[in-house]
Amino acid sequence: MKAKAVTNFVATFGVDIILNPDLIVEKNGRFYMVDAVLRSLMVRADFFYAGLFLGKVKEGKFFPSFNLLSMLAKKNANRIVVDRKAAWLFICGRPLFAKSVVRVFGSVKKNTNVLVLNEFGECLGFGRIVGDLSPKVYSDEVAVRNVSDVGDFLRRERF
């Protein structure tokens, strides 16, 4: 199945999204979701970009797009909401502390992936839970390790 890399990644957030394999197009390890009309127009395989970019597979590992992460946030995936200061630090590539977590949704167990949202419900990226997220914990120990965030693109730019 072409979309196996995508569905396996989605499953790590505790949510099932049914992806029609007929509407998933893969080219050079990059996955796109297209609608039926666009799919019928794709008679050649030498396209550059089509539909909604879901992510890419590189060296056997799936790297999601923020389109896919936003879709997961709307489908009740495991997610946390962090305060304003922590949101900024997360975008800058920093880990999160338990004291910065405002709300927790879903099953947030250690060593699982979790979406990180700001107070406005915008998906900032995702991380891996490495510590205790209970609201009673106010230590300076890392609770969520940053895996990918929206600031990554800017940090990769060279001026």
Side-chain angles (χ1 to χ4, degrees), residues 36-109:
V37 175
L38 183 58
R39 179 69 177 175
S40 67
L41 296 173
M42 296 179 67
V43 292
R44 298 181 352 181
D46 63 343
F47 65 90
F48 180 73
Y49 196 98
L52 183 72
F53 178 60
L54 297 175
K56 65 181 177 181
V57 173
K58 187 174 181 182
E59 298 175 7
K61 187 173 179 176
F62 183 74
F63 295 90
S65 71
F66 285 94
N67 295 325
L68 179 59
L69 294 179
S70 293
M71 286 172 48
L72 293 176
K74 294 175 186 170
K75 295 290 185 183
N76 297 326
N78 298 337
R79 60 199 188 283
I80 60 173
V81 177
V82 295
D83 63 29
R84 180 182 223 152
K85 181 179 177 184
W88 171 251
L89 292 172
F90 186 79
I91 290 171
C92 293
R94 303 289 304 271
L96 296 171
F97 302 115
K99 63 185 178 184
S100 303
V101 177
V102 176
R103 279 174 279 177
V104 176
F105 299 96
S107 174
V108 288
K109 298 176 183 154

Side-chain angles (χ1 to χ4, degrees), residues 2 5 7 10 17 20 27 34 39 45 57 73 76-77 83 86 94 96 103 115 119 121-122 126 134 142 145 151:
K2 291 184 272 188
T7 55
V10 167
I17 292 181
N20 183 345
K27 182 179 180 193
V34 297
R39 179 69 177 175
V57 173
N76 297 326
D83 63 29
R94 303 289 304 271
L96 296 171
R103 279 174 279 177
L115 296 173
E119 293 175 312
E122 299 164 328
F126 77 99
S134 70
V142 173
R145 181 178 50 87

